[in-house]
Amino acid sequence: MKRGPLDILIVGGGGREHAIAWSLRRSPRTGSLYCAPGNAGIAALAECVDVAATDLDGQVALAREKAVDLVIVAPDDPLAMGLVDRLEAAGIPAFGPRRAAARIEASKSFAKDLMRKAGIPTADYVTFDNPVEALSHVSECPLPVVVKADGLALGKGVRICHVREEAVQAVADMMQQEAFGQAGRRVVVESFMTGPELTVLAFSDGRTVVPMVSSRDHKRAFDGDQGPNTGGMGAVAPGADLSPAQEKDLADRIFQPTIDALREMGSEFRGVLYFGLMLTPDGPRVVEYNARFGDPEAQAVLPLLETDLVDIVEAVLEGRLASCDIRWSGRSSCCVVLASGGYPGSYRKGLPIGGLESLEGMQDVLVFHAGTRRDGDGQVVTAGGRVLGVTAVANDLDSAIDRAYEACESIRFEGRMMRRDIGRTHP
Ligand code: GLY
């Protein structure tokens, strides 16, 4: 990759992409920065172009038109659809896994089979393509049980069923009613695990895997981990106080074997791999993989990164991650998501957001935009379920949490919804 400033396109337009843009802007190696489609916050850091993340032709054409040196593909859908393959075929370096490797997120059965084959600890499971067989299985398997749609379902394709009727309903919804379209034609039925959850994002060049600071996401809509699942209502980093022995155990039993298994099947993984873990009484187990930075986890983790993100991305693409020195600040962070009233159900859009300017330039406070846009009068308005991620960084987690909540109070929009216990409970 060339030595001078790099012109970079970020694909996506949520809080994660804003955090990536913010991190890239700190690098003296970032030249022109583009984001498609972007949002009102990203527009302060990058030229936003209205091309949907899933418009593969449009994204390739944009990368060509802007003659970028690098594209970072951040969301799951374009990765699963093969945007990285398309960009590479056009001679454009792209950060993110190719379609074959992105199956680790796009197909739950693929991920489970990979883990079984490689001996990576995870819950026992059975995969079904036939609804009658699936219904028969959940009518007699031990409870609780977890029913997962095989494909991508906006984080909503997982049902934890404590009673028989729920399990039967989950299978019927996914396989017969097609609640998630094609994504639910195949289901994975897993045994239930207990223990605190932990996210570890890791950079990989296909051979070396380097975990980032751990994080912890809060997926339920309401305090005390109640209510429906969401994309994530907030995150803290670090997510756990892991001992060096625990870190080594995770690396030896989960992180490295996953990367090796993908490479050995010819699906080398280059990019960020998300390990969704559960620390069960019997040791850590993989709950899920994602083929990208988590959101909101990225909004908590990236502010703690001290190494230049451009250098890391380049090392990944050039297969020399092993010699890249990746450093973290040693501080803590908390990201609280401000969501639209009604989320994750239906919600209003176009509501004016007040108070953003009062947080601009504030030390150790970052406001990442997720669902925002500017209306015709230049006013920033709500444009999605998750609207903003307010991140605070401090020397300890309690201070980061307090500071994030203090900052949230400055931001106003009708129906503003947030959890009050981010970082204070342990999902
Ligand atoms: N926070 C969960 C995810 O990014 O999928």
Side-chain angles (χ1 to χ4, degrees):
M1 207 159 276
K2 77 179 195 201
R3 290 315 304 165
L6 300 180
D7 294 344
I8 304 173
L9 166 63
I10 304 168
V11 176
R16 165 185 49 212
E17 289 76 15
H18 194 174
I20 293 170
W22 173 84
S23 198
L24 292 173
R25 266 281 165 244
R26 301 176 82 195
S27 167
R29 299 197 54 209
T30 300
S32 298
L33 195 55
Y34 304 94
C35 188
N39 62 37
I42 297 173
L45 304 173
E47 181 186 328
C48 293
V49 185
D50 192 16
V51 175
T54 50
D55 176 358
L56 303 201
D57 289 339
Q59 292 287 354
V60 174
L62 177 62
R64 275 210 174 105
E65 181 200 319
K66 301 293 185 188
V68 296
D69 300 295
L70 165 70
V71 179
I72 297 181
V73 183
D76 51 2
D77 281 324
L79 289 168
M81 293 164 73
L83 179 53
V84 169
D85 311 55
R86 290 282 307 277
L87 289 161
E88 287 180 351
I92 303 162
F95 180 82
R98 293 179 186 147
R99 181 185 182 136
R103 280 181 298 169
I104 196 146
E105 172 170 10
S107 168
K108 302 275 177 281
S109 57
F110 172 85
K112 296 295 286 190
D113 291 349
L114 176 137
M115 286 187 267
R116 182 173 276 169
K117 203 157 158 240
I120 295 165
T122 187
D124 280 343
Y125 70 102
V126 194
T127 300
F128 295 97
D129 290 305
N130 180 327
V132 177
E133 289 172 14
L135 287 168
S136 157
H137 177 79
V138 298
S139 299
E140 48 197 36
C141 68
L143 294 170
V145 68
V146 183
V147 181
K148 293 183 172 176
D150 187 58
L152 297 177
L154 298 170
K156 295 177 187 161
V158 177
R159 297 249 194 106
I160 298 167
C161 309
H162 292 269
V163 296
R164 192 73 60 203
E165 291 70 25
E166 283 174 341
V168 169
Q169 191 64 49
V171 169
D173 287 349
M174 290 179 197
M175 300 188 87
Q176 294 175 320
Q177 308 302 323
E178 301 195 358
F180 305 114
Q182 291 281 353
R185 290 246 171 108
R186 169 179 288 178
V187 298
V188 173
V189 180
E190 282 187 6
S191 32
F192 180 71
M193 302 188 287
T194 54
E197 288 183 36
L198 185 69
T199 300
V200 180
L201 308 172
F203 294 107
S204 180
D205 60 6
R207 199 163 281 277
T208 299
V209 55
V210 180
M212 304 182 206
V213 167
S214 70
S215 51
R216 182 162 26 110
D217 177 22
H218 295 259
K219 293 197 177 71
R220 299 294 197 99
F222 309 133
D223 288 3
D225 286 316
Q226 302 297 312
N229 262 329
T230 69
M233 294 299 290
V236 292
D241 193 11
L242 297 174
S243 67
Q246 282 176 305
E247 284 176 0
K248 183 172 175 351
D249 185 53
L250 287 172
D252 292 349
R253 293 175 61 219
I254 295 178
F255 304 159
Q256 193 66 51
T258 303
I259 290 300
D260 291 345
L262 283 163
R263 190 183 60 256
E264 281 156 17
M265 66 167 62
S267 304
E268 197 169 76
F269 189 100
R270 277 194 300 269
V272 170
L273 185 51
Y274 172 124
F275 295 90
L277 306 170
M278 188 169 278
L279 307 177
T280 77
D282 302 321
R285 302 268 184 276
V286 176
V287 177
E288 62 170 352
Y289 294 111
N290 292 324
R292 52 175 173 81
F293 276 109
D295 193 357
E297 288 95 327
Q299 300 177 58
V301 169
L302 283 173
L304 304 180
L305 177 64
E306 285 200 332
T307 304
D308 187 324
L309 183 59
V310 177
D311 289 343
I312 301 174
V313 167
E314 189 178 56
V316 164
L317 294 184
E318 294 178 354
R320 47 177 185 75
L321 191 58
S323 59
C324 187
D325 177 24
I326 301 181
R327 281 166 284 106
W328 299 91
S329 68
R331 303 181 80 199
S332 299
S333 66
C334 172
C335 170
V336 177
V337 168
L338 301 182
S340 299
Y343 175 75
S346 57
Y347 51 82
R348 289 173 64 198
K349 291 184 186 174
L351 301 168
I353 303 172
L356 286 168
E357 55 302 328
S358 66
L359 298 176
E360 266 168 31
M362 188 176 279
Q363 175 101 7
D364 289 334
V365 173
L366 297 156
V367 180
F368 295 121
H369 289 226
T372 68
R373 64 175 177 82
R374 271 187 202 277
D375 69 9
D377 301 327
Q379 165 71 46
V380 178
V381 298
T382 65
R386 291 190 290 177
V387 177
L388 299 163
V390 178
T391 296
V393 177
N395 290 339
D396 61 82
L397 189 53
D398 279 338
S399 308
I401 294 168
D402 288 345
R403 193 91 201 279
Y405 276 109
E406 210 176 290
C408 286
E409 293 309 330
S410 303
I411 298 178
R412 302 170 303 277
F413 54 88
E414 198 183 319
R416 186 196 71 170
M417 194 179 97
M418 66 174 148
R419 275 184 59 164
R420 299 271 171 188
D421 60 350
I422 299 302
R424 305 262 191 232
T425 56
H426 213 314

